[in-house]
């Protein structure tokens, strides 16, 4: 199956952003890379948070997500009519539960989902297209529920959120030794942030609309670019190295050819990992203005975006 | 002259502000009838709304509008619960006081304290399984001032059902209003309503994804007694 012909199908909102707008062909000797489906779509980090909170950096991309899920729903039905399967994964960090907002210690997934009709509809639409959910470091609690998994294997494609490459000092690896303590520190930083931000708002030095927490952008402006390889290697080179080494040395998963992760919010493909033996894909994010996702068929793969 | 004008204007402003301050605010607001009629075509539900009665089968936005400005008593909304009739909020805890709730919860409860007693309202995400739809019930679809009814042949899955007759006159990719008329529950005063789409085979209907504003109310309880309807105007008048 071809990505432009069989997935995009003339939808002008969907653009391939990797490999200069062209789908990357999967080496013939690897084919088929998928075993239980004919097409795989991977939706990366969304970080949905309570809709009215200034920490919610998903809301500006919510309408685009609903339209995208509608596209997936129609495609899935059409494929089923000809006995083909579309499988959809959400890579984790669906909800922002672990880096709490300022109005409370944290928000539960249900509170976030019910904070706006569009959010509830997004979750319902994801259910309708039978999305498979993984958990990430921001919604780590969801590991308690059977519908959320740590990782998945689809033929020769390994899918994981991607936090395991981080150390505890990144505040981002729930499996790291000092993670709980580092989370406590992070919350304290947020509380200090709240104090000073409120002072600035009260003094009319910053408007309330721009009252975002440090490191959290609103997502009001969309980003459809494909960042440079240099930036990725500089900031997230440890992720590439970690998963490249795993594909090389993990005998239990020796058939794995492609690893897909999210977590960094930085879309990136490397097709010559381990001297061309493997492919590494960072799916990017659907938050803070980005609206990336990955499509893999037995013949091609690409990182795409859905334009608002 | 200028001073007189300023005095008159100031007096008018003070009177207006006093007027606003003394106006009794309605604590229960009337629901959006126009939106209701666009969403729900069921005659019995429309009649209930006109009579000021909140009944099972109505969409949740009616409740949220009625109690939008409710400040007189306790108001707890969107409480995640396990089943219809349950009043226990679901919440779990781990680590350093982190709470979490199963995101797959589909039943919610609203609690309102009124002068006459406590009102509990349960609503849930609808599908054909939870709404007790089954073989031999009748699906009626409203399109272009006509009603197309057919007996249900089988349920394909929780969001898909197939009828006996082919309905090629209904357009695909269009949201259609549909009602289920139950074979085994004819005692029910109201039928549930759905937003549906017909597939290309002209026999199979898909339930359109919805959000909590359109979840049907399933069960009402007032002062710990199940009730068939809540007459909001009576409560409103007492205030």
């Amino acid at each position: 199956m071809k990505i432009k012909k069989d997935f995009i199908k003339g939808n002008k909102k969907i653009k391939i952003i990797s490999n200069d707008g062209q789908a990357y062909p999967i080496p013939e000797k690897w084919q088929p890379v998928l075993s239980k489906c004919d097409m795989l779509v991977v939706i990366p980090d969304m970080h949905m948070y309570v809709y009215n909170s200034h920490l919610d950096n998903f809301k500006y991309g919510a309408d685009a997500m609903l339209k995208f899920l509608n596209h997936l729903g129609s495609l899935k039905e059409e494929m089923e009519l000809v006995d083909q399967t579309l499988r959809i994964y959400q890579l984790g960090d669906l909800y922002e539960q672990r880096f709490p907002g300022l109005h409370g210690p944290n928000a539960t997934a249900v509170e976030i989902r019910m904070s706006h009709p569009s959010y509830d509809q997004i979750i319902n639409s994801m259910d309708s297209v039978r999305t498979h959910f993984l958990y990430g470091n921001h919604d780590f609690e969801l590991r308690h529920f059977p519908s959320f998994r740590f990782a998945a294997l689809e033929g020769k494609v390994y899918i994981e959120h991607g936090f395991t490459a981080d150390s505890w000092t990144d505040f981002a690896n729930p499996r790291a030794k000092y993670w709980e303590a580092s989370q406590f520190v992070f919350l304290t930083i947020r509380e200090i942030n709240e104090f000073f931000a409120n002072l600035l708002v009260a003094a009319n030095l910053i408007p309330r609309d721009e009252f975002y927490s440090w490191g959290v952008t609103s997502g009001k402006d969309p980003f459809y670019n494909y960042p440079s390889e240099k930036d990725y290697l500089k900031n997230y080179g440890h992720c590439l190295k970690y998963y490249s080494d795993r594909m090389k040395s993990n005998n239990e998963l020796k058939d794995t050819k492609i690893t897909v992760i999210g977590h960094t919010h930085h879309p990136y493909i490397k097709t010559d990992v381990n001297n061309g033996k493997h492919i590494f894909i960072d799916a990017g994010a659907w938050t803070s203005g980005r609206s990336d996702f990955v499509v893999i068929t037995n013949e091609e793969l690409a990182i795409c975006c859905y334009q608002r | 002259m200028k001073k007189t004008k300023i005095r008159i204007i100031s007096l008018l402003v003070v009177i207006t502000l006093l007027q606003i301050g003394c106006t009794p605010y309605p604590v229960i607001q009337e629901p959006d009838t126009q939106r209701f009629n666009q969403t729900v075509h069921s005659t019995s539900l429309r009649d209930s709304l006109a009579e000021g009665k909140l009944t099972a089968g109505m969409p949740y936005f009616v409740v949220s509008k009625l109690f939008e400005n409710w400040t007189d008593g306790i108001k707890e909304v969107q409480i995640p619960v396990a089943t219809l009739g349950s009043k226990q909020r679901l919440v779990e805890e781990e680590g350093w006081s982190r709470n979490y709730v199963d995101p797959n919860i589909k039943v919610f409860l609203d609690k309102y304290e009124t002068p006459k007693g406590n009102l509990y309202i349960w609503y849930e995400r609808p599908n054909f399984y939870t709404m007790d739809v089954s073989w031999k019930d009748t699906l009626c679809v409203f399109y272009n001032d006509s009603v197309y009814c057919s007996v249900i042949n089988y349920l394909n899955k929780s969001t898909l059902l197939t009828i006996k007759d082919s309905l090629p006159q209904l357009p695909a990719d269009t949201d259609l209003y549909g009602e289920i008329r139950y074979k085994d529950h004819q005692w029910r005063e109201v039928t549930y309503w759905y937003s549906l789409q017909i597939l290309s085979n002209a026999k199979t209907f898909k339930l359109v994804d919805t959000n909590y504003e359109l979840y049907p109310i399933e069960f009402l309880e007032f002062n710990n007694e199940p009730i068939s309807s809540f007459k909001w105007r009576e409560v409103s008048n007492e205030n």
Side-chain angles (χ1 to χ4, degrees), chain A residues 17-18 26 32 81 136 159 170 223-224 246 276 279 302 304:
Chain A
I17 60 169
S18 57
I26 290 171
L81 290 175
I159 310 164
D170 297 307
F223 297 104
Y224 306 129
R246 267 178 54 171
I279 291 176
C304 305

Side-chain angles (χ1 to χ4, degrees), chain B residues 112 146 161 173 191 196-197:
Chain B
Y112 301 98
S146 298
L161 61 75
D173 295 326
T191 55
L196 303 164
Q197 281 187 0

Side-chain angles (χ1 to χ4, degrees), chain A residues 2 50 52 64 73 79 84-85 92 99 112 117 141 157 172 204 220 237 241 260 262 268 283 285 296 307:
Chain A
K2 302 289 185 190
V50 176
N52 288 326
M79 285 177 68
Q84 291 175 331
T85 306
F99 287 82
I112 295 167
E141 289 85 349
V157 183
N204 285 326
K220 194 172 185 179
K241 185 177 182 312
V260 184
Y268 175 66
I296 300 175
Q307 298 184 338

Side-chain angles (χ1 to χ4, degrees), chain A residues 33-45:
Chain A
V33 289
L34 303 171
S35 61
K36 289 172 277 185
C37 61
D38 302 278
M39 187 184 286
L40 183 66
V41 172
V42 183
I43 304 170
D45 311 36

Side-chain angles (χ1 to χ4, degrees), chain B residues 6 11 21 23-24 37 41 58 75 79 84 92 94 100 106-107 125 127 132 141 147 161 168 179 209 219 230 235:
Chain B
I6 290 167
L11 189 67
T23 304
N37 288 339
H41 294 220
M58 287 179 173
K75 175 180 165 181
I79 303 167
L84 294 171
E92 296 177 63
E94 72 159 25
Y100 60 94
K106 291 176 175 61
V107 184
R125 182 182 168 195
N127 67 44
D132 282 340
V141 179
V147 187
L161 61 75
E179 283 181 27
D209 289 323
F219 187 48
F230 172 73
V235 174

